[in-house]
Amino acid sequence: MPYEPPTHTVERSIRATTGAKIIAGVDEVGRGAWAGPVTVCAAVTGLRRPPVGLTDSKLISPKRRAELAEEVEKWVTSHALGHASPEEIDELGMTAALRLAAGRALDALPVRPDAVILDGKHDYLGQPWRVRTVIKGDQSCIAVAAASVLAKVRRDAMMAELAAESAQYAVFGFGENAGYPSPVHKAALRQWGPTPYHRLSWSYLDALPQWRHLKKIRISAEAAELESGGQLGFDF
């Protein structure tokens, strides 16, 4: 079933109801990965016609996604990326890490947005940002789709660069799985244990008795909340 292309409908609505002029679309990638950062992109597009084929990055082939990212980088009014490291994810929990990464992305924009369109149903940004959450915003909102593509391509490239850095990291297949739990990744974890780029507070370590002693326990109330991506059980 073909997907409807994203539009500027939400941006126009925000402009009409709030008077906002600069609106950033924000999307993240890496929430469910076991290794690597969580990456957030903030993209400002104005109301111009987008490059052909722009939509949720998950619906685009890797080859086309890389090509489209080059087009989007030239097309957007501005964009910026923010990252939260595995150590920050372990210390803060995913919700706070997302807030940190998104804040870094938004602060790095050349002009502060008047409003933010955030993909999903949960506003993890909060004050002082004026936020409109949109479920599947990466499929329906042009600015969020642009952020989706730019975040995905950049984070994938970061993980591929990590895999190329040394044979120690290449065995995890980061260039192919971007830190997500593929069979190759799971097999390498069983044999070699986690790298410095792994998230050590997540429950996958519970299934690895020989490495379980490395697990980090978060102690703050917010950080201890159950995070759906990191608290699922996996059959090794």
Side-chain angles (χ1 to χ4, degrees):
M1 180 177 177
Y3 290 89
E4 292 293 324
T7 69
H8 287 302
T9 299
V10 176
E11 290 95 324
R12 293 183 188 279
S13 171
I14 293 173
R15 284 171 176 250
T17 58
T18 71
K21 299 298 183 183
I22 301 174
I23 302 171
V26 171
D27 199 14
E28 55 77 22
V29 63
R31 184 197 297 255
W34 290 1
V38 63
T39 296
V40 176
C41 180
V44 178
T45 66
L47 297 177
R48 292 171 297 139
R49 184 186 300 273
V52 175
L54 178 62
T55 188
D56 175 7
S57 64
K58 296 184 294 296
L59 304 178
I60 308 170
S61 71
K63 180 177 183 295
R64 176 56 186 148
R65 192 163 56 222
E67 296 170 346
L68 190 57
E70 292 186 6
E71 298 176 36
V72 170
E73 280 194 18
K74 298 173 183 176
W75 168 75
V76 294
T77 303
S78 62
H79 78 284
L81 293 158
H83 311 278
S85 69
E87 293 85 1
E88 290 170 326
I89 293 170
D90 286 335
E91 179 182 353
L92 302 172
M94 182 54 74
T95 299
L98 281 168
R99 184 180 306 119
L100 183 65
R104 287 168 174 167
L106 289 163
D107 287 342
L109 289 171
V111 180
R112 183 181 178 87
D114 302 313
V116 174
I117 304 172
L118 188 61
D119 183 48
K121 63 180 180 180
H122 174 56
D123 176 12
Y124 57 76
L125 264 173
Q127 295 295 329
W129 302 101
R130 180 188 293 175
V131 176
R132 173 85 63 89
T133 58
V134 179
I135 297 173
K136 294 187 177 180
D138 47 10
Q139 294 180 27
S140 61
C141 302
I142 286 174
V144 180
S148 169
V149 169
L150 294 172
K152 173 66 173 170
V153 170
R154 180 57 192 136
R155 187 181 181 279
D156 282 0
M158 291 171 62
M159 297 304 292
E161 290 163 6
L162 184 61
E165 187 176 297
S166 72
Q168 176 187 0
Y169 303 138
V171 297
F172 289 87
F174 291 154
E176 292 72 40
N177 60 50
Y180 286 84
S182 70
V184 168
H185 190 170
K186 291 182 179 182
L189 273 171
R190 281 197 303 268
Q191 183 171 0
W192 303 105
T195 71
Y197 297 96
H198 277 86
R199 302 168 187 182
L200 299 180
S201 59
W202 286 29
S203 61
Y204 68 82
L205 282 170
D206 294 337
L208 299 169
Q210 69 274 43
W211 307 112
R212 194 180 298 155
H213 65 285
L214 298 174
K215 187 172 181 180
K216 294 182 178 179
I217 305 299
R218 297 192 296 272
I219 58 174
S220 70
E222 181 180 12
E225 67 181 309
L226 294 180
E227 304 286 356
S228 60
Q231 300 297 328
L232 296 174
F234 292 88
D235 183 6
F236 276 82

